């Protein structure tokens, strides 16, 4: 069956229907990741977006649901060049199209994703619609142009605090993990490196978090405009003043920057994929990282008495990480927990552990 992708400028792509039936509106973006499409589908940071895969063949190893990064897909729609009908993998549980249908993801295949990617690169991210007909096109365009991603954090966070694993001999560091749309692998890696993790919702107050008596606070990834989260930012200001070890990833990085006086800006088309080069300005080393974000911290708004820029994007020079000066905290824009890889920056979890150990030692002395 024919299906259409309509962009806010009126450009229309004709393809074939995949996934669920229906019409969806979202913000069109692309990811350059060549593997890990299930992780893309289940990353809550894609909330409100229609995601196009630049890699031409998707679905070639089917779906393994235990590899998902959240309880369900949060994106609005899915765009691929070619959908593989029969995946090949010993762990495969179902085909990708079956999964999309079951999870209610509306998709389109068979369009020129290279042309779509070039359009987004040249014009910037824009509203789009996936639909089965071109009737009432003017009304459709008005709906597309009025769309904005809103309440991403509210709609992807947990509702109540939840202890994920208890303190024991192997997990002796207590971490409060703020859930702004957290990927499962943040929790997995915290436990791997010896942490007991309590997941707390986005609207938990500083007092709520401090009652947990954590050794450290983790700020997760998430979607949407970071500046929309004024309540979260206000609570993070209070927590920064307590000088507890803090580690922020992606949206968590941006929110921590906003809480300490910096500003964020929307990028033309963002950084999404598993091949983003990031330079550590302290050591000179460059890492290949996984990323998924449409906003960035503005370098010229970072007060060097508050934080130092530690990492920059080697392609466009945007801020990729901050080290805080007067509080034991650091944050990164990229994903050191990226389950699909690369895993070059996983060492940052050990850096967080070291901060917590040093802080516990200082309190004992």
């Amino acid at each position: 069956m024919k299906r259409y992708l309509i962009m806010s400028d009126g450009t229309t792509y004709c393809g074939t229907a995949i996934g669920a039936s229906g019409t969806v509106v979202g913000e069109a973006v692309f990811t350059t990741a060549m593997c890990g499409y299930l992780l893309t589908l289940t990353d809550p940071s894609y909330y409100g977006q229609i995601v196009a895969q630049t890699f031409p063949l998707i679905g070639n190893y089917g779906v393994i649901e235990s590899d998902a990064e959240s309880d369900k897909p949060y994106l609005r729609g899915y765009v691929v060049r070619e959908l593989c009908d029969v995946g090949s993998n010993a762990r495969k549980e179902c085909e990708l199209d079956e999964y999309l249908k079951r999870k209610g993801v509306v998709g389109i295949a068979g369009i020129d994703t290279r042309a779509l990617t070039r359009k987004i690169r040249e014009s910037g991210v824009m509203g789009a619609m996936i639909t089965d007909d071109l009737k009432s096109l003017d009304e459709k365009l008005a709906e597309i142009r009025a769309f904005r991603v809103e309440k991403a954090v509210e709609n992807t966070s947990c509702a109540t605090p939840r202890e994920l694993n208890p303190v024991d001999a192997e997990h002796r560091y207590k971490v409060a993990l703020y859930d702004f749309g957290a990927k499962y692998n943040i929790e997995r890696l915290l436990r791997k490196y010896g942490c007991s993790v309590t997941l707390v919702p986005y609207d938990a107050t500083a007092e709520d978090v401090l009652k947990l008596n954590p050794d450290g606070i983790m700020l997760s990834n998430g979607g949407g405009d970071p500046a929309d989260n004024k309540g979260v930012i206000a609570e993070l200001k209070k927590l920064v003043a307590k000088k507890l070890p803090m580690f922020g990833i992606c949206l968590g990085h941006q929110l921590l920057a906003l809480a300490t006086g910096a500003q964020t800006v929307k990028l033309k088309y963002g950084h999404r994929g598993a091949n983003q080069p990031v330079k550590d300005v302290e050591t000179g080393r460059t890492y290949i990282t996984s990323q998924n974000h449409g906003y960035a911290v503005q370098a010229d708004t970072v007060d060097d008495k508050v934080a130092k820029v530690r990492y920059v994007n080697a392609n466009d020079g945007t801020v990729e990480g901050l080290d805080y000066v007067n509080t034991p905290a650091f944050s990164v824009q990229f994903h050191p927990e990226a389950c699909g890889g690369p895993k070059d920056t996983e060492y940052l979890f050990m850096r967080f552990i070291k901060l917590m150990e040093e802080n516990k030692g200082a309190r004992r002395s």
Side-chain angles (χ1 to χ4, degrees):
M1 186 174 73
K2 281 187 178 181
R3 186 164 280 178
Y4 303 93
L5 175 67
I6 306 171
M7 310 300 287
S8 63
D9 66 356
T11 303
T12 301
Y13 301 89
C14 180
T16 56
I18 62 172
S21 59
T23 294
V24 291
V25 178
E27 181 181 63
V29 301
F30 64 86
T31 173
T32 58
M34 294 190 292
C35 62
Y37 51 80
L38 181 63
L39 310 182
T40 295
L41 282 165
T42 57
D43 182 349
S45 298
Y46 282 117
Y47 178 88
Q49 295 177 326
I50 293 173
V51 182
Q53 300 266 182
T54 61
F55 191 73
L57 179 63
I58 299 296
N60 50 312
Y61 50 86
V63 171
I64 304 111
E65 291 200 49
S66 58
D67 288 347
E69 282 289 357
S70 65
D71 59 340
K72 65 179 181 179
Y74 286 94
L75 44 68
R76 285 291 183 98
Y78 197 48
V79 182
V80 302
R81 176 68 184 90
E82 180 181 350
L83 182 73
C84 181
D85 294 328
V86 182
S88 178
N89 189 291
R91 298 174 62 225
K92 184 184 77 172
E93 296 166 359
C94 68
E95 303 301 344
L96 179 55
D97 191 45
E98 176 190 335
Y99 176 82
L100 295 174
K101 285 182 170 67
R102 180 156 42 85
K103 296 295 184 178
V105 178
V106 177
I108 181 172
I111 74 164
D112 187 344
T113 50
R114 184 172 182 177
L116 174 62
T117 300
R118 291 185 67 174
K119 168 169 280 296
I120 295 172
R121 281 181 59 92
E122 291 167 4
S123 303
V125 294
M126 61 178 73
M129 175 185 286
I130 299 176
T131 181
D132 291 336
D133 68 73
L134 296 178
K135 297 174 183 176
S136 306
L137 187 57
D138 288 344
E139 293 178 12
K140 284 181 167 66
L141 286 170
E143 184 181 357
I144 293 167
R145 290 164 183 164
F147 179 82
R148 182 180 183 273
V149 177
E150 295 180 318
K151 297 185 177 180
V153 170
E154 292 92 322
N155 288 307
T156 55
S157 176
C158 62
T160 57
R162 187 167 72 249
E163 185 181 72
L164 302 179
N165 64 306
V167 175
D168 57 28
E170 293 183 1
H171 304 93
R172 58 196 187 92
Y173 301 99
K174 293 179 65 177
V175 173
L177 169 55
Y178 256 111
D179 181 9
F180 305 130
K183 292 159 67 178
Y184 285 160
N185 212 40
I186 294 177
E187 167 206 332
R188 295 187 192 109
L189 287 178
L190 286 171
R191 293 193 309 199
K192 171 183 173 180
Y193 287 105
C195 299
S196 164
V197 183
T198 299
L199 198 66
V200 298
Y202 79 97
D203 57 355
T205 66
E207 291 74 20
D208 293 335
V209 173
L210 293 172
K211 283 177 185 175
L212 299 172
N213 194 30
D215 297 312
I217 299 169
M218 186 89 200
L219 309 177
S220 85
N221 64 288
D225 185 342
D228 287 347
N229 301 283
K230 293 178 174 57
V232 176
I233 294 165
E235 297 305 317
L236 291 182
K237 286 181 182 178
K238 299 175 189 176
L239 290 171
V240 168
K242 297 296 181 180
K243 298 189 182 299
L244 281 170
M246 299 179 76
F247 178 15
I249 291 175
C250 191
L251 181 65
H253 155 76
Q254 296 164 0
L255 292 173
L256 188 56
L258 288 167
T260 53
Q263 296 176 22
T264 54
V265 62
K266 187 168 186 176
L267 300 174
K268 185 176 181 180
Y269 49 83
H271 302 148
R272 297 175 180 89
N275 52 1
Q276 291 284 334
V278 168
K279 182 179 180 179
D280 181 340
V281 297
E282 185 173 293
T283 67
R285 180 172 176 176
T286 297
Y287 298 91
I288 302 302
T289 70
S290 181
Q291 300 192 19
N292 175 15
H293 63 103
Y295 293 81
V297 176
Q298 288 183 269
D300 59 0
T301 68
V302 177
D303 185 342
D304 61 9
K305 297 182 179 64
V306 175
K308 306 287 187 184
V309 175
R310 175 67 183 269
Y311 300 95
V312 296
N313 189 289
N315 286 332
D316 61 16
T318 53
V319 175
E320 291 281 1
L322 297 171
D323 285 357
Y324 286 83
V325 176
N326 297 314
T327 190
F330 67 98
S331 63
V332 293
Q333 183 64 75
F334 50 90
H335 288 273
E337 86 293 350
C339 199
K343 300 180 181 293
D344 304 34
T345 56
E346 191 177 304
Y347 73 91
L348 290 170
F349 282 85
M350 283 303 299
R351 184 181 175 193
F352 184 42
I353 299 298
K354 185 178 179 182
L355 276 184
M356 289 190 286
E357 182 60 37
E358 290 173 349
N359 193 62
K360 288 177 75 169
R363 284 188 292 178
R364 285 195 295 266
S365 60

